[in-house]
Amino acid sequence: MERRIFLAGAALAVMAPAIPSPARESLGRRTLVERFAATLSAHDLSAFGALFADDYVNHQISAAAPAPPTGLTPKQATVGYFAARLAGMPDLQVAIESAVTADDKVAASFVYTGTHGGSYFGIAPTGRALRFTSCDIFLVRNNLLAEHWGMGDIAGILAQLRAR
């Protein structure tokens, strides 16, 4: 199996120069959201944080989500938010339902699954299986996530956490 993966990767590397530049850039943006999901599923916050530009801007505002801590850059606050998610769901897995690219943007619909095994949104562990989604749009600059607009199902998460 590893040999097939290696051969496929080698073939892509040889063919990459033949792929027109816009198609390569689109593939790169798609790969970026795949790495977003993969680094979170691997619980690798260092690699996750490396996906974001230092001057990253998060345009998402949610009345249901806690306000980001003061004194943090948007990049630090985003990594901290996902660190809290991983602490609340130690077996978190992230999958992509769908992704599209256009110009310098990539959009994806993510599905998050895991077990509520740690404090999350201030709620003590319940042991419940959780499943929720988010739809996110990213501006990509220099192969990094530079800006974000999105909507996550925070109300759905809270409903699952508080279910009796």
Side-chain angles (χ1 to χ4, degrees):
M1 179 67 165
E2 288 181 29
R3 184 171 173 233
R4 269 190 279 155
I5 293 170
F6 172 77
L7 291 174
L12 279 175
V14 170
M15 292 173 35
I19 299 172
S21 181
R24 261 198 322 271
E25 291 170 7
S26 177
L27 182 60
R29 288 188 299 275
R30 167 74 189 217
T31 301
L32 200 53
V33 295
E34 288 169 349
R35 289 178 25 220
F36 179 99
T39 56
L40 285 175
S41 292
H43 302 195
D44 186 345
L45 286 173
S46 177
F48 178 73
L51 299 174
F52 296 86
D54 288 336
D55 60 348
Y56 168 75
V57 176
N58 187 1
H59 299 282
Q60 182 173 348
I61 298 172
S62 171
T70 57
L72 297 180
T73 66
K75 176 180 177 173
Q76 292 168 328
T78 296
V79 172
Y81 179 81
F82 281 95
R85 180 168 282 176
L86 287 169
M89 292 181 291
D91 61 347
L92 179 73
Q93 293 297 298
V94 183
I96 299 172
E97 282 186 304
S98 182
V100 295
T101 63
D103 300 323
D104 55 357
K105 293 182 181 69
V106 59
S109 174
F110 295 100
V111 177
Y112 298 83
T113 57
T115 307
H116 183 214
S119 180
Y120 192 42
F121 286 116
I123 299 171
T126 63
R128 290 189 186 102
L130 302 176
R131 182 185 186 282
F132 52 93
T133 60
S134 73
C135 288
D136 301 275
I137 302 167
F138 296 99
L139 172 74
V140 177
R141 188 173 52 246
N142 299 322
N143 204 32
L144 295 171
L145 302 174
E147 294 187 43
H148 169 257
W149 299 262
M151 293 187 298
D153 188 14
I154 303 294
I157 297 168
L158 293 173
Q160 291 175 72
L161 291 172
R162 294 180 178 145
R164 301 268 183 245

